[in-house]
Amino acid sequence: MLTVALPKGRIAEQTLEKFEKAFGEKFVFEDRKLILKKAGFTFLNVRNQDVPTYVMYGAADLGVVGLDVLEEKEYDLIKLLDLGLGRCKVAIGLRAGEELDWTKSLIKVATKHETIAKKYFEQKAMAVEIIKLYGSIELAPLVGLSDCIVDIVETGTTMKQNGLEVGPTIMESSVYLISNKNSFYAKKDLILDLRERIEATL
């Protein structure tokens, strides 16, 4: 039996479709249920940000999550397979027509991706103040709260509609199948068989 933590919403549905193709069975969470047991699997329906935590602490053997979330959490997990879903990038957003002033002694960055942002600016040898926000991040540069934002970008439309433009890309992201290290060694054959079956559907 393998336990798989899935992020709620579109990515969970697309992942279950891959399981359906791989195993020739229907995998669907009914109503608001958070657990689905089927074909030797237990699927957990959890928040995207929580997937690596469930896997790290062994509540799930496997998980499906974006590379950006993995980078943010910095957990010691095994990346098994890029599922090619949810492609996006983490990028800097600036007021339209402006560039980042690298001569400043301190750059203020609004983001919920604290670790990723901090690493990026540290690699550039820039002092940075991270302002953690959970939503409507695009507002921050417009009202003078920050010099820029670091956020997920799919098309750039949200930034454009809010008077910002997409600046440098920090990292590309897509959705990965990940594994707990202990689970991988204890259930290696099962996990590798699953990876092979899912890979065949890509």
Side-chain angles (χ1 to χ4, degrees):
M1 176 75 80
L2 289 174
T3 300
V4 187
L6 297 180
K8 291 181 175 183
R10 188 168 51 96
I11 297 298
E13 288 166 18
Q14 291 174 342
T15 304
L16 287 175
E17 281 170 16
K18 293 196 179 297
F19 272 83
E20 286 175 5
K21 277 187 194 166
F23 291 90
E25 293 195 41
K26 202 85 179 133
F27 292 88
V28 182
F29 281 100
E30 287 175 24
D31 300 325
R32 292 167 181 262
K33 286 189 177 171
L34 300 174
I35 297 176
L36 164 66
K37 294 194 176 197
K38 193 93 190 261
F41 295 99
T42 299
F43 295 97
L44 310 177
N45 207 2
V46 305
R47 279 188 62 178
N48 185 41
Q49 303 292 330
D50 294 335
V51 169
T53 306
Y54 277 80
V55 179
M56 180 66 199
Y57 291 98
D61 302 301
L62 304 167
V64 171
V65 72
L67 192 56
D68 56 298
V69 179
L70 281 181
E71 289 291 316
E72 191 60 33
K73 294 286 186 191
E74 295 187 302
Y75 288 151
D76 189 16
L77 299 166
I78 297 170
K79 292 197 278 280
L80 289 170
L81 183 64
D82 182 353
L83 297 177
L85 303 171
R87 292 201 183 282
C88 60
K89 60 186 179 182
V90 179
I92 291 173
L94 300 149
R95 280 187 294 264
E98 292 190 6
E99 287 185 11
L100 214 47
D101 183 0
W102 294 100
T103 64
K104 287 181 85 164
S105 58
L106 182 76
I107 291 178
K108 288 196 281 187
V109 182
T111 187
K112 60 181 174 196
H113 299 85
E114 293 173 277
T115 307
I116 292 170
K118 203 160 176 286
K119 267 188 185 171
Y120 175 78
F121 285 99
E122 279 173 357
Q123 283 165 0
K124 302 261 181 202
M126 277 302 304
V128 66
E129 181 185 345
I130 302 288
I131 299 163
K132 177 116 184 187
L133 292 177
Y134 295 90
S136 305
I137 292 170
E138 294 80 11
L139 272 175
L142 304 176
V143 297
L145 179 62
S146 70
D147 298 303
C148 66
I149 64 172
V150 167
D151 203 10
I152 291 285
V153 178
E154 285 184 44
T155 62
T157 306
T158 308
M159 282 199 197
K160 198 177 281 183
Q161 285 174 345
N162 288 287
L164 303 183
E165 60 187 40
V166 181
T169 296
I170 294 176
M171 67 172 287
E172 302 283 344
S173 180
S174 58
V175 170
Y176 275 74
L177 180 66
I178 60 171
S179 173
N180 172 286
K181 282 196 161 178
N182 292 336
S183 296
F184 184 75
Y185 296 116
K187 305 176 181 181
K188 196 169 186 177
D189 291 347
L190 278 175
I191 289 172
L192 290 178
D193 176 60
L194 171 63
R195 185 180 71 176
E196 210 171 285
R197 284 178 178 240
I198 297 283
E199 201 167 10
T201 72
L202 302 181

